[in-house]
Amino acid sequence: LEPELHTPRRAAPRARVEAGTVAAAGAQTAVYPVASPGGWQLLGRTARHVYTPGVGPLLAPGDSVRFQPVADAPRLGPQGPLELLPAPRQ
């Protein structure tokens, strides 16, 4: 992330963050591949599976990703759901 977007981790992690949740901490962003505890700041959620056991990840570390709102999906929070679109690898 650009320095002005850096955000600290939470003082206490949440007990459960749903799979597909997009989050940020420090200079990094990530999509939770499975439901798990987590202390990052939550930004939204994607319906796209970023990890499928036996198939492997959709993305690799360092990939660029662009998020776009999905107009016809049910709202999942103040920002609504997000669709994950892998950017071309450079």
Side-chain angles (χ1 to χ4, degrees), residues 22-49:
V22 181
Q28 301 176 321
T29 58
V31 179
Y32 282 80
V34 296
S36 62
W40 289 28
Q41 303 297 331
L42 307 183
L43 305 174
R45 189 176 302 152
T46 177
R48 177 75 60 94
H49 295 281

Side-chain angles (χ1 to χ4, degrees), residues 37-65:
W40 289 28
Q41 303 297 331
L42 307 183
L43 305 174
R45 189 176 302 152
T46 177
R48 177 75 60 94
H49 295 281
V50 295
Y51 174 75
T52 303
V55 175
L58 174 66
L59 302 167
D63 281 355
S64 294
V65 177

Side-chain angles (χ1 to χ4, degrees), residues 1 5-26 28-46 67 76-82:
L1 291 173
L5 298 176
H6 291 189
T7 183
R9 290 176 181 251
R10 292 172 45 94
R14 292 172 179 84
R16 181 179 172 92
V17 177
E18 293 300 320
T21 299
V22 181
Q28 301 176 321
T29 58
V31 179
Y32 282 80
V34 296
S36 62
W40 289 28
Q41 303 297 331
L42 307 183
L43 305 174
R45 189 176 302 152
T46 177
F67 292 96
L76 298 176
Q79 308 301 310
L82 299 174

